[in-house]
Amino acid sequence: MNRTTHPPGGRPVLDRSGAVTAAPLPARTPSRRRPRPRSQQWAAWAFLAPVTLYLALFYAYPLYRNLDLSLRNYTVRSFVQGDAPFTGLKNYETVFQDPAFGPALVHTVVFTAVCLVFQYVIGLALAVFFHQHFRLSATLRALFLVPWLLPLIVSASTWSWMLNSDSGIVNAALHAIGIGPVNWLTSPSWSLTSVIIANIWIGVPFNLVVLYSGLQSIPSSLYEAAALDGAGAWRRFRSVTFPLLRPVSAITLLLGLVYTLKVFDIIWIMTKGGPADSSTTFATWSYQLGFGNLLPAFGPGAAVGNLLVVAALVFGLVYLRVQRKQALA
């Protein structure tokens, strides 16, 4: 008995010679997505409009104005009338050739790096400490948040009083243990250290909160398994806690970097960038150029501000690149 096979492509049919062929399949019309109703489109734009307006008014426009200021020769008169001549990169050349550029750059790097390291290390140590869930842990955690909740002007004023050379409590404590007074705010050798100490005190609670939240997401079963394998406290921290905290640590350091680069209030209230520009950073220098003189230099001041924006943007792009590599690994 002969078996007829059905060729692929459609149902079998017989042609004139008796051979079995496949009938062509009917052409399929491409499926088209049904257009969204106009009401849904308007609803989507209505939800996007507030965010778009906010970004345009408070991010895009200020950045554009700051860039425009740095590319023109603005005076008080032209700032009001808006007829400042275009000068290109001349303001940036003025900033780079200024004798204050080198010291301000060094102070900015030292201030940012030292604050980041100490804020992260102290914040991580406190987060691990409070992760033990001992008695009064929640109360002590709340007390550690006080520096973060206080207005910056209050914190900076308090540190100015504490570090006062004549009546400060810090020098009083040093005198009690036999150490002579230190001119914390009036000595070029100590002014930068003073503002660093104050900024570390203010920034530690932020690191504590974020890192403590990251520790809460680590399963306790991992610590139990490590303890069963004989791992001590330091071994558990090095092999379990620290590796699993890397994503949280990265975003904590990035946010801390962006915040520290633009710190102005603390330095200006405590030392005003002095004495002899010994605690001047890019943030305070930009303010001094634009608003601290009788003849303000709006263009160079905006150029210094743009350097801070570029620095923050570079580190943000580096963070995104590292995160993308880790996601693909």
Side-chain angles (χ1 to χ4, degrees):
M1 180 177 180
N2 295 332
R3 181 175 298 176
T4 303
T5 58
H6 296 172
R11 59 183 180 84
V13 295
L14 296 176
D15 57 9
R16 293 181 178 180
S17 61
V20 179
T21 59
L25 290 174
R28 293 184 178 180
T29 57
S31 59
R32 297 180 179 178
R33 293 183 177 179
R34 299 178 59 184
R36 293 182 178 179
R38 187 172 297 273
S39 59
Q40 293 184 4
Q41 295 179 1
W42 282 111
W45 281 110
F47 279 108
L48 289 176
V51 178
T52 305
L53 185 63
Y54 174 81
L55 293 177
L57 290 178
F58 297 101
Y59 284 89
Y61 181 71
L63 286 175
Y64 163 74
R65 287 293 297 159
N66 203 56
L67 181 62
D68 181 70
L69 281 172
S70 67
L71 298 178
R72 296 180 182 272
N73 184 21
Y74 273 96
T75 61
V76 177
R77 174 181 171 275
S78 60
F79 187 82
V80 175
Q81 297 181 355
D83 56 349
F86 181 80
T87 58
L89 300 178
K90 186 177 180 179
N91 288 323
Y92 292 92
E93 295 177 3
T94 302
V95 167
F96 291 139
Q97 295 173 1
D98 195 307
F101 176 80
L105 175 62
V106 173
H107 297 159
T108 303
V109 172
V110 172
F111 179 81
T112 304
V114 175
C115 287
L116 276 182
V117 171
F118 278 90
Q119 287 173 355
Y120 176 78
V121 172
I122 298 174
L124 179 59
L126 291 174
V128 174
F129 175 72
F130 286 119
H131 190 56
Q132 306 302 320
H133 300 293
F134 56 90
R135 192 175 182 180
L136 298 179
S137 173
T139 304
L140 292 177
R141 275 203 324 271
L143 292 177
F144 269 100
L145 295 181
V146 171
W148 192 28
L149 301 176
L150 287 175
L152 289 178
I153 188 172
V154 175
S155 300
S157 300
T158 302
W159 276 100
S160 296
W161 170 76
M162 292 173 60
L163 297 176
N164 186 275
S165 301
D166 300 324
S167 58
I169 190 174
V170 175
N171 276 349
L174 293 177
H175 178 73
I177 59 176
I179 300 177
V182 177
N183 296 323
W184 296 98
L185 305 177
T186 58
S187 171
S189 303
W190 287 100
S191 60
L192 186 62
T193 303
S194 302
V195 295
I196 287 176
I197 293 173
N199 191 65
I200 290 174
W201 181 79
I202 293 172
V204 163
F206 171 76
N207 288 259
L208 167 62
V209 170
V210 178
L211 295 173
Y212 182 81
S213 301
L215 288 175
Q216 296 292 97
S217 63
I218 300 178
S220 58
S221 59
L222 297 179
Y223 293 106
E224 297 173 358
L228 291 176
D229 291 338
W234 171 247
R235 181 68 178 180
R236 291 196 299 270
F237 172 81
R238 189 178 62 179
S239 302
V240 178
T241 304
F242 193 72
L244 295 179
L245 271 182
R246 283 178 183 172
V248 180
S249 299
I251 191 62
T252 303
L253 291 173
L254 176 63
L255 294 176
L257 173 70
V258 173
Y259 169 79
T260 309
L261 279 175
K262 65 181 184 65
V263 167
F264 166 79
D265 315 65
I266 301 167
I267 301 175
W268 191 256
I269 293 172
M270 293 181 64
T271 64
K272 288 184 170 58
D277 295 333
S278 58
S279 59
T280 296
T281 61
F282 276 176
T284 58
W285 189 31
S286 175
Y287 179 83
Q288 288 174 343
L289 289 172
F291 305 99
N293 302 313
L294 293 177
L295 296 176
F298 294 115
V304 176
N306 285 333
L307 294 179
L308 289 176
V309 173
V310 171
L313 180 62
V314 168
F315 283 104
L317 293 177
V318 170
Y319 167 77
L320 292 177
R321 185 176 180 84
V322 171
Q323 290 295 102
R324 186 176 301 175
K325 286 185 177 180
Q326 291 180 353
L328 295 177

